[in-house]
Amino acid sequence: MSKENCESKARKKIAASIGATPEEIYFTSGRADGHLKALKAVVKASKKARPHVIITTMEDREVLDECSRLERKDAVVTYLDPITTGRVEVAMIENELKENTELISVTAANCQTGTSEPFTGIGTMTSEKGVIFHTDAAFAFGKMPINVERSHIDLLTADASYFGGPENAGFLYVRKSTGAGEYVSETALSEETLTVMSDMAESLAAKATTFMEEIRPVRNHMCERIFAEIEDVELNGHKDHHLTNHLNIRIKNVSAAVVQKALKEEGIEAGIGTNSNILAAIGRSKAESAESVSFSLKAGTTMEDADKIVDSLKEIVTGERTVL
């Protein structure tokens, strides 16, 4: 197969996975690259003098840095803080709209807290207001159904490494009617990378609903046991609006780094958020962030697996607090 045919086939599969058309798909080197390309393209395509951009304070550092650069000469930027659950409500965004608002960028689901944002509600509002809406779906893609037409999404970024695909590869969807596509500089990816990424995107999108239904009771069981059996644990994120496979908790007076290391020795992966701008955005201090641990359950995780995680976590926490 020629490189051209490989790219065409990959665009078709990726486009079908989110309800777009192949000519609206651009290849990137990953999450931050796609997000930066989206920001720059929309600002360049804008016919407004110093267009207004609304972005949340929970975005990648590279993206926030790019917004700072845009602010110096090309755009006006509003940095929106979420409520303490990590949620950005539609009304919060609507209150920040100006006559020259061009772009709103909100992550579909947060990579640390797992909180899912009301992206369909935001998209519906922005389409009515004539404002372009971008969502970073890197962490959400494959874990929930996403359709750009149904949710009125104008630009969407995804990262292959976040859904088990190749490193340094991703895609950016740009709605043709925005006119921003002609300002996107596409990243060249190998045929092998394109094939693996597009095949996985196709497969995950088809299984997203099933994945949610199967993993939800496992995550809920794990969550219920943790809060019932371990004292002084707090949830980071929204109680109801979250990815069905993700959980982030603060364990008071216990170092997250110690927990992560101890769990890894038992073959259990956990994430930590030390010095996280995301946890800071929802009101966590540096000390509280250093006590925060996250779990992302993979497809096929069983109740027994969840029990193993909780049993191990209980033992580690008990041991650390006994030392204190």
Side-chain angles (χ1 to χ4, degrees):
M1 185 187 298
S2 69
K3 180 70 179 293
E4 186 177 343
N5 287 339
C6 181
E7 288 181 351
S8 176
K9 189 174 181 181
R11 286 188 220 279
K12 287 179 181 177
K13 287 186 176 183
I14 291 169
S17 74
I18 58 172
T21 59
E23 62 268 24
E24 295 175 314
I25 302 300
Y26 300 83
F27 305 126
T28 72
S29 64
R31 179 185 185 183
D33 180 48
H35 204 153
L36 294 176
K37 280 177 165 61
L39 284 171
K40 293 175 182 177
V42 171
V43 171
K44 284 182 179 179
S46 177
K47 294 178 172 58
K48 299 170 184 174
R50 287 182 62 80
H52 178 223
V53 175
I54 300 175
I55 193 164
T56 78
T57 53
M58 298 183 292
E59 308 304 327
D60 283 345
R61 177 49 55 190
E62 300 98 317
V63 174
L64 295 175
D65 288 345
E66 177 60 28
C67 285
S68 294
R69 285 191 287 271
L70 289 173
E71 267 189 297
R72 288 196 281 271
K73 64 175 183 177
D74 297 320
V76 176
V77 182
T78 294
Y79 299 90
L80 195 62
D81 286 320
I83 54 179
T84 54
T85 58
R87 185 99 162 155
V88 178
E89 301 294 353
V90 177
M92 295 167 60
I93 298 171
E94 197 164 5
N95 289 338
E96 299 294 337
L97 293 178
K98 305 178 187 297
E99 286 187 11
N100 66 330
T101 301
E102 186 74 57
L103 173 69
I104 291 166
S105 182
V106 178
T107 301
N110 190 269
C111 64
Q112 286 199 18
T113 65
T115 296
S116 57
E117 304 296 344
F119 56 86
T120 298
I122 296 170
T124 300
M125 182 272 289
T126 53
S127 66
E128 292 172 353
K129 301 285 186 181
V131 177
I132 294 172
F133 173 45
H134 164 260
T135 190
D136 176 356
F139 203 59
F141 183 81
K143 301 179 183 77
M144 62 167 66
I146 298 177
N147 182 287
V148 295
E149 286 301 316
R150 185 169 59 246
S151 296
H152 305 283
I153 297 168
D154 298 305
L155 292 94
L156 177 147
T157 50
D159 188 316
S161 68
Y162 277 65
F163 54 79
E167 295 286 336
N168 303 314
F171 63 85
L172 167 64
Y173 153 75
V174 183
R175 186 181 295 276
K176 190 175 181 180
S177 61
T178 64
E182 63 181 282
Y183 296 96
V184 175
S185 176
E186 190 170 51
T187 301
L189 300 176
S190 70
E191 292 181 39
E192 180 181 3
T193 295
L194 289 171
T195 299
V196 174
M197 177 172 68
S198 59
D199 284 350
M200 292 195 72
E202 180 182 51
S203 175
L204 287 169
K207 298 174 183 176
T209 299
T210 301
F211 171 76
M212 289 176 64
E213 291 173 349
E214 291 179 350
I215 208 69
R216 182 184 286 110
V218 180
R219 186 265 187 194
N220 288 348
H221 171 70
M222 178 175 158
C223 189
E224 287 167 6
R225 278 201 61 196
I226 287 173
F227 284 98
E229 299 174 32
I230 304 176
E231 293 183 354
D232 293 326
V233 174
E234 296 177 343
L235 177 69
N236 289 324
H238 202 288
K239 186 171 80 70
D240 301 313
H241 301 290
H242 57 78
L243 291 175
T244 55
N245 72 313
H246 194 81
L247 174 65
N248 188 308
I249 54 174
R250 176 200 170 200
I251 308 171
K252 293 182 183 180
N253 301 316
V254 178
S255 166
V258 171
V259 171
Q260 182 189 49
K261 182 180 179 181
L263 286 173
K264 190 170 185 178
E265 290 174 354
E266 298 186 34
I268 299 168
E269 294 295 325
I272 59 176
T274 307
N275 297 324
S276 164
N277 68 299
I278 294 167
L279 295 180
I282 66 170
R284 288 297 188 198
S285 66
K286 286 186 177 181
E288 291 170 336
S289 295
E291 297 173 340
S292 297
V293 183
S294 63
F295 300 92
S296 287
L297 307 183
K298 299 178 181 179
T301 302
T302 64
M303 290 290 188
E304 290 74 21
D305 295 328
D307 283 332
K308 178 185 175 183
I309 294 171
V310 178
D311 291 341
S312 298
L313 185 63
K314 281 175 61 178
E315 185 176 346
I316 294 164
V317 171
T318 300
E320 287 300 301
R321 286 178 172 164
T322 300
V323 171
L324 292 175

